Amino acid sequence: MPWVRVANEDTVAAGEALVVEAGGRRLALCNTGQGLFAIDDQCTHDGGPLDQGKLDGKEIECPRHGARFDVTTGRALCLPAVRPVKTYAVRVHEGAIEVEIHDA
């Protein structure tokens, strides 16, 4: 089954990102206030931990060099990053936050 429980529904507050693990992957679980989104917790520029960056609306900023990503699409929004981060489907099921993980 591709859905993996990563947290309880009330674990991550609006405007915050939390690192979680699912299927052997380190993910940043982001609560934009408009929904929950999961992305790889690694900046495509230099591997910085995105969960430690600032989440502003649907944009997260890498704390190392300021690259920003759209957490809803994974798209790189500014230099120095040019490649997107991988995104994962998220759902809330019976009070649990689940992320959809498929084998590579």
Side-chain angles (χ1 to χ4, degrees):
M1 182 163 164
W3 290 99
V4 177
R5 181 186 180 131
V6 295
N8 292 326
E9 185 175 12
D10 59 353
T11 302
V12 58
E16 293 186 4
L18 173 72
V19 68
V20 296
E21 297 212 11
R25 294 171 175 89
R26 182 179 164 101
L27 309 177
L29 180 63
C30 304
N31 184 342
T32 66
Q34 303 296 312
L36 294 165
F37 301 90
I39 59 173
D40 278 336
D41 186 41
Q42 189 172 41
C43 178
T44 58
H45 166 246
D46 77 346
L50 294 175
D51 74 290
Q52 293 178 19
K54 181 180 177 191
L55 180 64
D56 184 15
K58 65 179 187 172
E59 295 182 14
I60 195 161
E61 182 176 75
C62 179
R64 289 194 183 165
H65 299 112
R68 289 193 322 272
F69 299 89
D70 182 325
V71 300
T72 67
T73 65
R75 188 171 65 110
L77 300 173
C78 72
L79 295 173
V82 293
R83 292 186 325 265
V85 291
K86 184 172 173 70
T87 61
Y88 300 86
V90 178
R91 73 178 182 187
V92 177
H93 180 71
E94 296 180 359
I97 300 170
E98 298 178 337
V99 176
E100 188 175 28
I101 302 293
H102 293 283
D103 293 332

